[in-house]
Amino acid sequence: MRIQPRLKLKELEVTFTSYPKRAGHALSWDEFMRYAPRARSSGDVFQRLVDCLAPMGAMNLVYAYQNGDRLEFHSTLDKGWRDHYQHCGYQNVDPGVRHAWYGGVGPTAMGRAFSRFWNNGFSDSTRRLMPTNGWSRATQDLQEDAADKTGFEIGFMIPLTQQRGMGPAGCSFGSDMKHKEFDQLYQHQGGQIAMVLRAFHDYMQAALQTEKGEELQMLTTRERDVLQMLADGLKRQEIADRISRGKRTVDYAVESARDKLGAGDNDHLAIRRALDLGWIH
């Protein structure tokens, strides 16, 4: 897997692509997983994410990743805030961006409600979102500014797996809900939201790579055979037994196929892309 060279955040050009905030047709978790891989463009993939999470209270959805010397944002934020964010250089103190950039593991808190209500009103699971050393003054100022100008009070961001040809990435769920309401949401559905965001990352990168005209490497015969057997419902150990090889050989073939297909760590997406390309049936 090729990883982008590490640059300083302040050295990156910041670009934004915007999408509507309102859900077109509310989607359940299962419907998102079913429809997103079939989306015709990156814009369609993002709209599926809005359709799934906006009905739950997401008012700001932001997906960011390093692409060469650019930090690319795809979001529901309006132009006024985007221009202000760039003018202030907020990517340097944005807690979500910094968490992904410096190798953070697991979700992290975003929004001024965390600092305002830290000592009362949050469950233990939600409190773990907050960095143990808290936020810098500059980061707190960003959170206050974001709340005043966009209504974003509370949310969380998850770092995402780096895929071929790209650098650090992350996706955030932002809301204007009260801290008690968010606490209940995160306790009961935080894991599912994170699962949707990770799946969205795979689908979005696949769509972006297709739109940029990236040439896909052909799969080897073994990689095709292994993907075909996965598509047929066989487990990896069953595949290893069938081809008289060790399970590590199967694992390597799957990982190589996923990388060539731009599917990250998502077997389902790799199979769907191979089906769409006619490489398996």
Side-chain angles (χ1 to χ4, degrees):
M1 183 181 297
R2 302 188 300 275
I3 302 299
Q4 292 281 5
R6 178 56 56 89
L7 302 173
K8 294 181 180 178
L9 279 172
K10 64 182 179 182
E11 295 175 335
L12 298 178
E13 176 189 358
V14 177
T15 65
F16 279 91
T17 302
S18 295
Y19 304 91
K21 287 186 179 184
R22 294 182 181 275
H25 170 70
L27 296 179
S28 67
W29 311 111
D30 291 341
E31 287 173 327
F32 174 82
M33 295 300 189
R34 188 161 65 249
Y35 294 141
R38 304 175 188 173
R40 293 168 295 179
S41 66
S42 58
D44 287 342
V45 176
F46 201 97
Q47 183 59 53
R48 299 293 184 275
L49 183 69
V50 174
D51 291 344
C52 183
L53 297 184
M56 298 181 57
M59 61 170 292
N60 290 328
L61 293 167
V62 180
Y63 174 57
Y65 61 95
Q66 182 200 355
N67 182 13
D69 60 355
R70 298 193 306 276
L71 182 60
E72 298 192 7
F73 286 85
H74 295 255
S75 76
T76 55
L77 297 167
D78 62 38
K79 185 177 185 301
W81 173 252
R82 298 194 326 258
D83 292 346
H84 183 66
Y85 185 100
Q86 290 178 274
H87 175 74
C88 295
Y90 274 153
Q91 72 272 15
N92 296 304
V93 296
D94 187 317
V97 171
R98 290 180 63 84
H99 185 64
W101 191 261
Y102 293 111
V105 178
T108 191
M110 297 184 71
R112 69 179 179 186
F114 271 100
S115 54
R116 287 191 170 188
F117 301 101
W118 180 244
N119 292 321
N120 59 359
F122 287 118
S123 63
D124 289 343
S125 61
T126 308
R127 285 172 64 90
R128 283 195 288 271
L129 288 171
M130 191 71 172
T132 54
N133 57 351
W135 285 324
S136 68
R137 179 70 259 176
T139 295
Q140 292 183 51
D141 289 343
L142 160 61
Q143 309 282 33
E144 291 287 343
D145 203 10
D148 291 340
K149 289 184 170 62
T150 72
F152 166 49
E153 289 285 347
I154 194 165
F156 70 101
M157 169 272 177
I158 63 166
L160 299 163
T161 305
Q162 294 187 38
Q163 298 190 2
R164 61 174 187 163
M166 66 175 288
C171 196
S172 64
F173 175 105
S175 179
D176 59 354
M177 63 180 62
K178 302 298 183 183
H179 71 282
K180 290 280 192 181
E181 185 181 2
F182 175 83
D183 184 59
Q184 288 294 313
L185 173 70
Y186 187 76
Q187 282 188 75
H188 295 102
Q189 296 183 305
Q192 289 176 303
I193 293 173
M195 177 187 69
V196 166
L197 295 180
R198 292 188 181 98
F200 159 78
H201 173 53
D202 291 338
Y203 303 145
M204 190 69 166
Q205 281 302 311
L208 289 167
Q209 288 166 12
T210 299
E211 289 168 359
K212 291 173 183 176
E214 292 191 7
E215 185 177 346
L216 293 174
Q217 299 179 55
M218 293 294 291
L219 300 183
T220 66
T221 299
R222 172 160 291 164
E223 289 163 355
R224 290 193 189 202
D225 290 345
V226 168
L227 276 189
Q228 181 65 64
M229 285 184 272
L230 281 177
D232 291 340
L234 273 68
K235 304 296 184 184
R236 293 194 186 191
Q237 187 58 59
E238 293 173 328
I239 296 172
D241 294 341
R242 179 169 293 190
I243 65 175
S244 301
R245 293 291 187 273
K247 183 173 176 292
R248 289 184 63 182
T249 298
V250 175
D251 291 340
Y252 178 80
V254 174
E255 290 168 9
S256 179
R258 287 191 318 221
D259 188 42
K260 290 178 180 180
L261 290 163
D265 58 359
N266 190 321
D267 290 358
H268 176 73
L269 181 58
I271 290 168
R272 177 160 293 282
R273 295 208 81 191
L275 284 167
D276 291 343
L277 290 164
W279 291 355
I280 62 175
H281 58 270

